[in-house]
Amino acid sequence: MSVEENLQQVNQVIQSACEKVGRKKEEVTIVAVTKYVGNDKTKEVLEAGIEHIGENRVEGALEKWEAFQGQANFHFIGTLQSRKVKQVIDKYDYFHSLDRPSLAKEFQKRCPEGKKIRCFVQVNVSGEASKFGLAPEETIPFIESLKDYPAIEVIGLMTMAPFEEDPEKTRPVFRGLRELRDEVQSQRFPHAPCTELSMGMSNDYHIAVEEGATIVRLGSVLMNE
Ligand SMILES: *Cc1c(COP(=O)(O)O)cnc(C)c1O
């Protein structure tokens, strides 16, 4: 199927997940994860009306930016090595995986004059050893410490749920992230409005939307032929 056809189905899934819990579909933004595909398919994504694309590696991130700068909002969704920050900092609009002080320091150091770096703090809600991110209990102290880096604005939290045959099993992870987001918001940190929840991938985004996702990161469900 074309990206456009896939997108129609995805939109229906998001719509019904929203209806189920009394949310508005407009509250959910799709980031198309283009890491598996080349520029032709990415062009199809943009032509289908998607305005946000996500990449998880610096090489692919730069390639997509070269080809589509000015035509999309760019999300860096993968783990970012500090030494590579300078290659993407002035090009990408959102960073989904802020998870350590050294990365925050590098963002601050490399931030172009006058720019704010819009970040999600990545949290390992599930506790899976293979997942990156802060432990839930480390999250608020970490966010508080980011006040020392005026270039950084914490716009939300991000998590990856473990892959489950039965996506329903991911629900506690997404709910946990939402509760943590609410807790961060209640602190009213000026540098951390933390309104967004980046959660949900192809296998589990319907559950994530029911639990409050404002950004879903979708690769295979959109790009599959
Ligand atoms: C690859 C990737 C996705 C998308 O994965 P799909 O299962 O193909 O939708 C989302 N988020 C991150 C961080 C990824 O690396």
Side-chain angles (χ1 to χ4, degrees), residues 31-33 35-36 55-56 77-79 96 122 158-160 163 198 200-205 216-223:
V31 173
V33 179
K35 67 188 185 192
Y36 316 103
E55 283 283 331
N56 70 334
I77 61 172
T79 302
H96 287 240
Q122 184 170 358
M158 180 275 216
T159 199
M160 288 174 81
F163 178 85
S198 168
M201 301 173 28
S202 293
N203 187 53
D204 53 25
Y205 68 101
V216 290
R217 308 178 309 270
L218 304 178
S220 41
V221 75
L222 287 172
M223 316 298 163

